[in-house]
Amino acid sequence: MPRPSQPLLSVERIAEAALALIDGDGDFTMATLARALNVRPSSIYHHVSGREDVIEAMRTMVLERGVGRLRVESLDDPIQKVKVILQRYRDSFARHPRLIPLLTSYTVSAPAVMRWYEELADQLAALGIPTDRILDVITVFDSLVLGAALDLAAPEEVWDRTKTQNEVLTAAIVAAPVGRERADRAFDLGLDLLLGGLARIESSPSA
Amino acid sequence: MPRPSQPLLSVERIAEAALALIDGDGDFTMATLARALNVRPSSIYHHVSGREDVIEAMRTMVLERGVGRLRVESLDDPIQKVKVILQRYRDSFARHPRLIPLLTSYTVSAPAVMRWYEELADQLAALGIPTDRILDVITVFDSLVLGAALDLAAPEEVWDRTKTQNEVLTAAIVAAPVGRERADRAFDLGLDLLLGGLARIESSPSA
DNA sequence: ACCTGAACACCGTTCAAGT
DNA sequence: ACCTGAACACCGTTCAAGT
């Protein structure tokens, strides 16, 4: 089969198929991707520059879908706006937990990523955060979101209570939920702690 | 050269050489690792079970060295103790920023890792955090540390101000420092925000 | 422009052979 | 017990050939 009149592939179809493989198997190779698309591996290179590019296409796709639900205007409290933005940011990743470990190479230039940060910057300014602290605050949120997203890719039982003799830690492990619920609770707590702290920066001068 | 009377390799020597490759090149293969050790690739498999095992050996080595400096008893304030623990935890990673992207597969079972969490759990209990919240708090700190560590592997200029039209974000990018200083400042801020919030959990009942 | 098939260098890993 | 050399299946990527 040579060139078809209608192209068989597109960046979107490639990213979609790769994402399905990751959700299913936790990883993908150019060979398994080609097979899922009913195509030879070399065909993929007519649409993306390589495997790294496929990963960037997935990052963009996942964040585009998340930014679509970024309707935040109806909320009054700017703190609540920031909270919703960050929850949706993290939720975008949470839909594809196995993807996160592939996203560790930084790219802030993609337009889909920029839109998140622009929205966040606006709300932080509205909150009264001084200009020279805004990027620090964004970076902190970014670290928490990325760290929490990585946590989603962790196995069901992260904490093995048989591996410690420590009484406090053992009791804490027994008392805590497991899996997704543990990850969700922790992210919510982190968000609340950070947002609570923001109120204090707001009223104090820059460091 | 068959079996030498003194073994040429050990897990430590392997991890050390791999870490040097990562600090230099940002990555390693079993072939480059063998070459650095003046050995054939197949020799390595007599000491570790494979590449993943080399990565675990590096994780252990990096955290062992960090935990060695965990002398925290001299401090009075338990909040200060927690702060020092977390700063050293993050510093352990910060010494080898290029390693972090390889550490995204979770392992909390390694003894070197457990010791960090045991120390942290003890201090959180001393702070009055209820048992059923301790693991949530630890997970939050963990997310921040891992996210901040990943940030260290980012390129010098994470933020490209030409990629946004947003006024607030542009001004924030211009006002902020670059590279290591940006990452350090953000981590310190995140730590202070979280620790400030802890004081509130302390006095309120569990969720 | 876009899919194919053959070919490339390289990857991690296995294992019988040697001492 | 530990290093070697040969061999394995697989990996991402390139490119001339076909329409």
Side-chain angles (χ1 to χ4, degrees):
Chain A
M1 191 205 305
R3 171 159 104 93
S5 50
Q6 273 292 87
L8 296 174
L9 297 181
S10 68
V11 177
E12 286 71 31
R13 282 180 40 69
I14 291 170
E16 190 76 78
L19 204 48
L21 284 171
I22 284 172
D23 288 341
D25 305 347
D27 209 350
F28 78 102
T29 70
M30 297 305 271
T32 60
L33 181 53
R35 168 157 281 279
L37 290 161
N38 266 309
V39 127
R40 305 297 141 208
S42 49
S43 311
I44 297 171
Y45 291 83
H46 290 281
H47 300 268
V48 294
S49 69
R51 196 186 127 95
E52 268 306 309
D53 208 23
V54 176
I55 293 173
E56 284 316 306
M58 285 190 280
R59 188 206 301 269
T60 299
M61 171 170 283
V62 164
L63 288 179
E64 289 282 10
R65 289 176 183 173
V67 89
R69 291 169 292 108
L70 246 186
R71 292 273 146 256
V72 130
E73 293 80 6
S74 58
L75 294 165
D76 287 338
D77 183 6
I79 288 267
Q80 285 307 311
K81 286 189 184 175
V82 172
K83 186 168 179 173
V84 169
I85 292 170
L86 291 169
Q87 280 173 334
R88 295 202 175 149
Y89 189 30
R90 188 257 189 182
D91 280 351
S92 307
F93 290 132
R95 283 163 211 279
H96 306 281
R98 321 277 295 266
L99 174 64
I100 323 291
L102 304 183
L103 297 185
T104 53
S105 71
Y106 253 74
T107 315
V108 182
S109 53
V113 187
M114 267 299 174
R115 236 164 305 153
W116 286 99
Y117 293 122
E118 288 169 356
E119 183 70 28
L120 198 50
D122 281 337
Q123 297 305 328
L124 291 174
L127 257 174
I129 309 289
T131 301
D132 66 336
R133 299 292 280 168
I134 284 185
L135 214 63
D136 288 341
V137 175
I138 290 182
T139 301
V140 169
F141 283 134
D142 215 37
S143 293
L144 182 74
V145 168
L146 194 60
L150 270 171
D151 196 23
L152 286 165
E156 183 77 1
E157 286 267 11
V158 187
W159 299 91
D160 183 348
R161 70 166 164 258
T162 69
K163 292 283 174 54
T164 179
Q165 311 280 0
N166 183 285
E167 284 180 38
V168 177
L169 191 54
T170 303
I173 292 173
V174 172
V178 174
R180 184 60 177 264
E181 197 192 334
R182 194 199 92 267
D184 287 345
R185 266 176 55 146
F187 176 69
D188 286 340
L189 173 64
L191 209 46
D192 284 338
L193 292 178
L194 289 181
L195 291 172
L198 267 200
R200 265 167 294 132
I201 285 201
E202 197 183 339
S203 48
S204 77
S206 106
Chain B
M1 191 205 306
R3 171 158 104 94
S5 51
Q6 272 295 87
L8 296 175
L9 298 181
S10 68
V11 178
E12 286 71 32
R13 279 178 44 68
I14 291 170
E16 191 75 79
L19 204 49
L21 284 172
I22 283 172
D23 288 342
D25 305 346
D27 209 350
F28 79 100
T29 70
M30 297 304 272
T32 60
L33 181 55
R35 168 157 281 279
L37 289 161
N38 266 309
V39 127
R40 305 298 141 209
S42 49
S43 311
I44 298 171
Y45 291 82
H46 285 100
H47 302 267
V48 294
S49 68
R51 196 187 126 95
E52 268 306 308
D53 209 23
V54 176
I55 293 173
E56 284 316 306
M58 285 190 280
R59 188 206 300 271
T60 299
M61 172 170 282
V62 164
L63 288 179
E64 290 282 9
R65 289 177 182 171
V67 88
R69 291 171 293 109
L70 246 185
R71 291 276 146 252
V72 130
E73 293 80 5
S74 59
L75 293 165
D76 288 337
D77 183 6
I79 287 270
Q80 286 306 311
K81 286 188 185 175
V82 172
K83 185 167 180 172
V84 168
I85 292 170
L86 291 169
Q87 280 173 334
R88 294 201 175 150
Y89 190 27
R90 188 257 190 182
D91 280 352
S92 306
F93 290 133
R95 283 164 210 280
H96 307 280
R98 320 276 297 264
L99 174 64
I100 323 291
L102 304 183
L103 297 186
T104 54
S105 70
Y106 254 71
T107 314
V108 181
S109 53
V113 186
M114 266 299 173
R115 236 164 304 155
W116 286 99
Y117 293 121
E118 289 168 355
E119 182 72 28
L120 198 50
D122 281 338
Q123 297 306 327
L124 291 174
L127 256 174
I129 309 290
T131 302
D132 66 335
R133 299 292 281 169
I134 285 185
L135 214 62
D136 288 341
V137 174
I138 290 182
T139 302
V140 170
F141 282 135
D142 216 37
S143 293
L144 183 74
V145 168
L146 193 60
L150 270 172
D151 196 23
L152 285 166
E156 182 78 1
E157 286 266 11
V158 188
W159 301 92
D160 183 348
R161 69 165 165 259
T162 68
K163 292 284 174 54
T164 180
Q165 311 280 0
N166 183 285
E167 283 181 38
V168 176
L169 191 55
T170 304
I173 292 173
V174 172
V178 175
R180 183 60 177 262
E181 196 193 335
R182 195 200 91 265
D184 286 345
R185 266 177 54 147
F187 177 69
D188 286 340
L189 172 64
L191 209 46
D192 284 339
L193 291 178
L194 290 181
L195 291 172
L198 266 199
R200 265 167 293 134
I201 286 201
E202 198 182 338
S203 47
S204 78
S206 109

